[in-house]
Amino acid sequence: PDLVERGIGDLTRAIEGNADVVLLGDAYFSLALLLLEEGSHVNPWVEQGLKRVPQSIELNTLRELLDSGATGVPALAENERASDLRRRNPGVFFGALAAIYHRMGKGMFKREEYAGTVAALERSLHFDERAWANGVEKSGVLHHKLVRLGVAHNRLAQHQEALRYYERVIRERP
């Protein structure tokens, strides 16, 4: 099995194992992200996680995004529960959205759905910026997002856009 499949198996066993040892909110959210990347149905895991860890901002954010259906992010702006999550901890809220869209984009990239990759990863970068503005530290994932965006734009024959992301990779790396 590849790393994602192994991660799904490991997280599933961890969730089903000793809840005193595992940070359940993190485990459920990480599992949901890997399932999103694989294009699998995540709702049952999100609902199970929220029954066990109802205060998880990350799981609640994912549920609100999934419940918004095709309207996605614009619907979150008008969603009262999402607004409450954003007020409670904006860094975690925006960081969760960045992670969700990153995994969605990563999965689309694997399936060679480059237009979807671009849309998802650009949203992820947007939410990264909002998370960083709220005290969340930058992660090493930024480099990978930028490279994937460059490659996706190249595959779509959008070479100027690709170049823009490749230049940003160089600027962001020390």
Side-chain angles (χ1 to χ4, degrees):
D2 71 0
L3 287 176
V4 172
E5 288 174 7
R6 205 168 352 163
I8 290 170
D10 290 347
L11 286 164
T12 303
R13 283 188 296 283
I15 287 167
E16 294 167 351
N18 189 347
D20 295 333
V21 177
V22 176
L23 296 172
L24 284 177
D26 292 345
Y28 275 105
F29 186 64
S30 295
L31 175 60
L33 292 177
L34 291 176
L35 291 169
L36 277 174
E37 183 176 328
E38 289 297 299
S40 299
H41 193 61
V42 301
N43 287 24
W45 286 104
V46 172
E47 293 308 317
Q48 181 184 14
L50 285 169
K51 285 179 185 163
R52 295 180 76 184
V53 192
Q55 71 278 13
S56 170
I57 292 174
E58 293 92 339
L59 286 172
N60 277 290
T61 300
L62 178 54
R63 182 187 59 198
E64 294 307 317
L65 185 61
L66 293 171
D67 286 352
S68 69
T71 55
V73 174
L76 286 183
E78 300 169 10
N79 180 310
E80 190 173 319
R81 289 185 308 234
S83 294
D84 180 54
L85 293 168
R86 186 175 52 246
R87 275 191 299 276
R88 281 179 32 208
N89 193 326
V92 172
F93 175 78
F94 291 122
L97 286 171
I100 292 164
Y101 279 107
H102 172 237
R103 288 298 179 158
M104 291 169 77
K106 196 172 173 185
M108 286 184 251
F109 185 86
K110 285 182 192 175
R111 294 184 295 279
E112 299 181 3
E113 299 169 13
Y114 298 116
T117 298
V118 167
L121 291 180
E122 285 181 348
R123 279 192 172 159
S124 179
L125 287 174
H126 168 76
F127 290 118
D128 276 335
E129 300 281 343
R130 304 278 304 266
W132 300 332
N134 284 283
V136 175
E137 288 187 34
K138 285 186 181 183
S139 73
V141 176
L142 174 63
H143 171 80
H144 298 288
K145 289 180 193 180
L146 296 172
V147 169
R148 271 196 193 90
L149 274 163
V151 172
H153 277 294
N154 258 335
R155 300 268 166 85
L156 294 168
Q158 299 169 343
H159 305 299
Q160 286 302 112
E161 286 297 309
L163 183 59
R164 189 171 63 97
Y165 284 106
Y166 294 144
E167 289 171 342
R168 186 167 171 197
V169 168
I170 293 167
R171 281 194 313 273
E172 295 285 342
R173 296 290 277 199

